[in-house]
Amino acid sequence: MSLLVVGSMAFDAIETPFHKSEKIVGGAATYIALAAANFVDPVNVVSVVGNDFPEEEMQDLRSRHINLDGVEIKKDQKSFFWSGKYHLDMNTRDTLVTELNVLADFKPVVPDSYQSSEFLLLGNLNPSVQISVIHQMKKRPKLIALDTMNFWMDTAMDELSEVIRMIDILVINDSEARQLSGEYSIVKAANKILEMGPKFLVIKKGEHGALLFNPSNAFFAPALPLEDVFDPTGAGDTFAGGFMGYLARTRDISFENMKTGIITGSAMASFCVEKFGTERLRDLTHQDIENRIRQFVDLVHFDIELV
Ligand code: AMP
């Protein structure tokens, strides 16, 4: 079992109403890999960084069975940099800075050693980059999941539609689902998006949980009510990493098993927001994860006798 992840590795500078970070290591692929590595070995990453990306950071990721053979290091360029500022509700944020740097002309190369990856998670990147990765796979993975954002709907809708037709699961948030479908009702939005190609759709609703759809079923998982959210950055990627990591571990892509995947992703995301950046994801134990999943089960479990 192995998972191939394509996405950004970055420096982030994050501001919340309560704290402000210096430049810290982030990026979608980093969050995804850290979450997924708790379930699957190896996690094969395709990404690009500049000469400023710390070697200790790469070593730390490698020590967690995260394979970085597909991470290109561009010697004369800087890593992708993103900065964001959260509003008081901690659900919404403004992007302050996006410096693409190495991502501007990123041409991903899937190493031969990654060709046997059975599961593929395409992190939020230019859809043409996502398409190029699918084309490079000599054998189609058992399951392809894709994350994207409103920026690509505004600027590259044709390529985005093309890649959406090629994948199995789309993982997006509620505002993106509304924009993509042109429907306000989440159920109508889900039906329209499923007609665009994917067999499954996950709609993330931040602190309000996540929904899983296929054409005939729906499932809802709550987010864990937390007293304090320290930093929501990367929660969506961590969710996707936990979800796909779990599916890759179990190799079962039925709707039933995806329900557990959604709970697992939600549990991983609940850890992510407890500390700044990727910090909390680095000190997790299997026991922590098991206990957190149990909390989710307790949160939603009830017995009812219908009269
Ligand atoms: P999330 O909070 O799950 O939306 O993910 C935040 C992460 O996405 C940060 O660590 C950023 O470095 C990364 N990110 C932000 N904008 C982009 C972008 N345009 N392309 C790729 N990665 C991005």
Side-chain angles (χ1 to χ4, degrees):
M1 64 184 171
S2 58
L3 172 67
L4 170 53
V5 173
V6 186
S8 56
M9 291 174 75
F11 286 117
D12 293 342
I14 303 155
E15 225 177 289
T16 73
F18 317 105
H19 301 274
K20 196 173 168 175
S21 78
E22 300 297 314
K23 272 191 176 185
I24 53 175
V25 165
T30 314
Y31 283 99
I32 292 169
L34 282 168
N38 291 288
F39 306 96
V40 66
D41 174 8
V43 177
N44 296 321
V45 178
V46 169
S47 190
V48 60
V49 294
N51 57 10
D52 49 357
F53 203 81
E55 178 52 32
E56 321 73 89
E57 203 55 55
M58 307 280 263
Q59 285 300 348
D60 181 71
L61 295 173
R62 283 192 195 100
S63 73
R64 298 165 190 274
H65 306 284
I66 296 169
N67 187 349
L68 303 180
D69 292 353
V71 178
E72 186 188 351
I73 302 172
K74 288 202 170 166
K75 289 270 180 283
D76 308 320
Q77 290 187 44
K78 290 201 319 190
S79 300
F80 174 69
F81 173 63
W82 175 81
S83 170
K85 183 174 177 174
Y86 288 87
H87 301 170
L88 204 54
D89 66 6
M90 292 291 259
N91 263 332
T92 45
R93 71 183 177 206
D94 296 323
T95 290
L96 303 178
V97 183
T98 300
E99 286 174 15
L100 288 177
N101 301 325
V102 288
L103 267 194
D105 57 354
F106 178 37
K107 305 228 170 7
V109 177
V110 178
D112 279 346
S113 57
Y114 287 11
Q115 283 295 342
S116 57
S117 303
E118 280 184 298
F119 288 74
L120 169 58
L121 175 48
L122 298 162
N124 170 33
L125 285 173
N126 189 325
S128 57
V129 169
Q130 297 173 318
I131 291 170
S132 130
V133 171
I134 299 178
H135 282 150
Q136 288 179 57
M137 297 305 288
K138 292 182 184 128
K139 180 165 176 255
R140 191 189 190 279
K142 192 177 165 82
L143 192 80
I144 304 178
L146 178 118
D147 184 14
T148 188
M149 70 190 293
N150 43 12
F151 177 75
W152 304 117
M153 297 173 200
D154 295 334
T155 61
M157 195 51 210
D158 288 348
E159 292 89 338
L160 182 60
S161 300
E162 186 181 342
V163 73
I164 286 176
R165 280 195 296 276
M166 300 166 85
I167 56 141
D168 303 296
I169 314 183
L170 181 64
V171 183
I172 49 178
N173 69 33
D174 45 355
S175 68
E176 291 158 352
R178 289 188 169 114
Q179 180 169 347
L180 185 61
S181 62
E183 294 285 352
Y184 188 79
S185 150
I186 284 293
V187 176
K188 283 187 185 163
N191 288 335
K192 262 204 170 167
I193 293 169
L194 288 169
E195 281 168 15
M196 295 168 81
K199 301 178 195 73
F200 302 92
L201 170 67
V202 175
I203 299 183
K204 299 170 289 179
K205 290 162 67 74
E207 65 172 333
H208 304 297
L211 287 150
L212 167 68
F213 295 93
N214 75 0
S216 43
N217 298 293
F219 175 71
F220 170 71
L224 199 68
L226 293 169
E227 228 167 88
D228 291 308
V229 170
F230 207 69
D231 170 21
T233 307
D237 303 313
T238 304
F239 171 92
F243 174 68
M244 282 296 277
Y246 174 81
L247 294 183
R249 182 195 192 94
T250 52
R251 302 181 70 230
D252 173 353
I253 56 172
S254 65
F255 190 85
E256 262 327 284
N257 196 49
M258 282 189 194
K259 289 184 185 177
T260 313
I262 295 287
I263 299 285
T264 306
S266 303
M268 297 310 294
S270 76
F271 286 121
C272 175
V273 305
E274 285 180 344
K275 287 189 179 172
F276 247 107
T278 58
E279 198 183 335
R280 183 69 177 108
L281 296 180
R282 292 174 193 260
D283 64 11
L284 284 179
T285 64
H286 281 288
Q287 195 58 52
D288 291 333
I289 296 171
E290 210 180 299
N291 292 346
R292 186 61 59 96
I293 290 175
R294 214 170 290 284
Q295 268 180 280
F296 270 85
V297 174
D298 292 343
L299 182 69
V300 290
H301 181 86
F302 58 88
D303 292 314
I304 189 163
E305 262 181 50
L306 294 174
V307 284

